[in-house]
Amino acid sequence: MLEIVYQDEHLIAINKPHGLLVHRSVIANDAKEFALQLLRDQINRRVSPVHRLDRKTSGLLLFAFEKDVEIAMHKQFQEGLVQKRYKAVLRGYSPDSLDIDYPLTNDNGVVQESFTSFRTLARAELKVAFGKHETSRYSFVEAAPTTGRMHQLRKHFAHIFYPIIGDRKHGCNKQNKFFKEQWDMTTMLLHASELEFLHPVTGEEIQLQAPLHDEFKRVMTLMSWEAFSA
């Protein structure tokens, strides 16, 4: 059963697990379950996603019941009117805060402006050797992208040399292997934690939050970051 964090007559939001595709995709033929179909079966109603999350990214995923609401929410996302916040675990000690203004190229070769702000919430140094280092350092951050490019956070954090743990495409393969061997963990530690927007029908300000999933919480405990696990 999918965790429903919000529902009214027009919109419904779930806390998507890691590893679940939003809908069918030709680039992931191995997938047998999809958030779209699972939610439709669970509530016995037609729904349409109004934005996307990567397969390995967990957290808030918003759906609309009616076509006009879907279109209205698409417009809000496209115009940058939806405030999005993510939580992530990075390799190394990241800066206290930083604005990343770094254009990204889409699949069609078009260069697009891309902007992300983040702040570091906590840091940890584990007494576990990694490579030539006697300890391992990590940071827990909150990121707020103001544009919505594909893999934006993953690419931006890799660009500043603080990759997201578990990101196989843009991250650090040595760290990913280290987490698998040391703690049997392959989850990408990126979570869509908050959404804020104006309801397209009522005009009400909606604030949604989604708690971290268990696998992410396991890493939070490992790092002694339990205070940030809510």
Side-chain angles (χ1 to χ4, degrees), residues 56-90:
K56 293 190 70 179
T57 302
S58 64
L60 283 167
L61 184 59
L62 187 63
F63 296 82
F65 291 123
E66 303 107 352
K67 189 65 179 179
D68 58 338
V69 175
E70 177 190 352
I71 293 171
M73 283 307 308
H74 273 308
K75 185 177 180 182
Q76 283 200 49
F77 274 97
Q78 290 169 356
E79 294 179 355
L81 300 177
V82 179
Q83 293 186 42
K84 301 168 287 184
R85 294 185 183 87
Y86 292 74
K87 301 295 193 303
V89 177
L90 311 181

Side-chain angles (χ1 to χ4, degrees), residues 181-226:
E181 293 175 348
Q182 192 74 30
W183 298 294
D184 192 28
M185 205 286 300
T186 58
T187 299
M188 184 171 72
L189 299 176
L190 177 63
H191 179 77
S193 57
E194 297 178 48
L195 285 176
E196 294 183 24
F197 57 92
L198 292 181
H199 196 289
V201 178
T202 67
E204 177 187 2
E205 184 176 332
I206 304 296
Q207 298 179 332
L208 305 181
Q209 295 184 332
L212 300 173
H213 289 283
D214 289 344
E215 189 71 347
F216 205 131
K217 286 183 177 179
R218 182 162 72 92
V219 176
M220 298 296 283
T221 300
L222 174 70
M223 303 289 179
S224 298
W225 293 335
E226 293 93 339

Side-chain angles (χ1 to χ4, degrees), residues 18-45:
H18 299 274
L20 181 64
L21 278 172
V22 176
H23 49 63
R24 293 183 186 277
S25 171
V26 295
I27 61 174
N29 294 324
D30 62 310
K32 305 252 189 283
E33 292 185 320
F34 313 91
L36 178 62
Q37 277 73 30
L38 289 174
L39 184 58
R40 283 179 178 177
D41 293 344
Q42 184 170 323
I43 64 174
N44 198 28
R45 286 189 66 180

Side-chain angles (χ1 to χ4, degrees), residues 91-210:
R91 180 193 68 186
Y93 277 6
S94 57
D96 290 343
S97 62
L98 190 67
D99 295 333
I100 307 173
D101 186 358
Y102 179 68
L104 298 173
T105 304
N106 67 14
D107 290 341
N108 296 321
V110 177
V111 177
Q112 300 172 304
E113 290 186 355
S114 305
F115 189 86
T116 301
S117 294
F118 78 88
R119 63 191 180 106
T120 299
L121 303 176
R123 299 181 180 92
E125 184 171 20
L126 303 184
K127 294 180 180 179
V128 180
F130 176 73
K132 63 181 181 180
H133 303 287
E134 296 181 357
T135 61
S136 303
R137 290 182 171 185
Y138 303 98
S139 298
F140 180 58
V141 302
E142 179 181 74
T146 54
T147 51
R149 313 308 181 197
M150 178 175 277
H151 296 179
Q152 177 173 318
L153 293 180
R154 299 164 64 177
K155 291 178 179 179
H156 271 181
F157 283 121
H159 172 67
I160 62 170
F161 303 107
Y162 295 98
I164 297 171
I165 298 299
D167 183 353
R168 285 184 291 183
K169 186 169 184 179
H170 307 288
C172 174
N173 290 331
K174 291 182 179 179
Q175 277 288 348
N176 296 342
K177 181 180 179 183
F178 180 63
F179 263 71
K180 186 176 187 331
E181 293 175 348
Q182 192 74 30
W183 298 294
D184 192 28
M185 205 286 300
T186 58
T187 299
M188 184 171 72
L189 299 176
L190 177 63
H191 179 77
S193 57
E194 297 178 48
L195 285 176
E196 294 183 24
F197 57 92
L198 292 181
H199 196 289
V201 178
T202 67
E204 177 187 2
E205 184 176 332
I206 304 296
Q207 298 179 332
L208 305 181
Q209 295 184 332

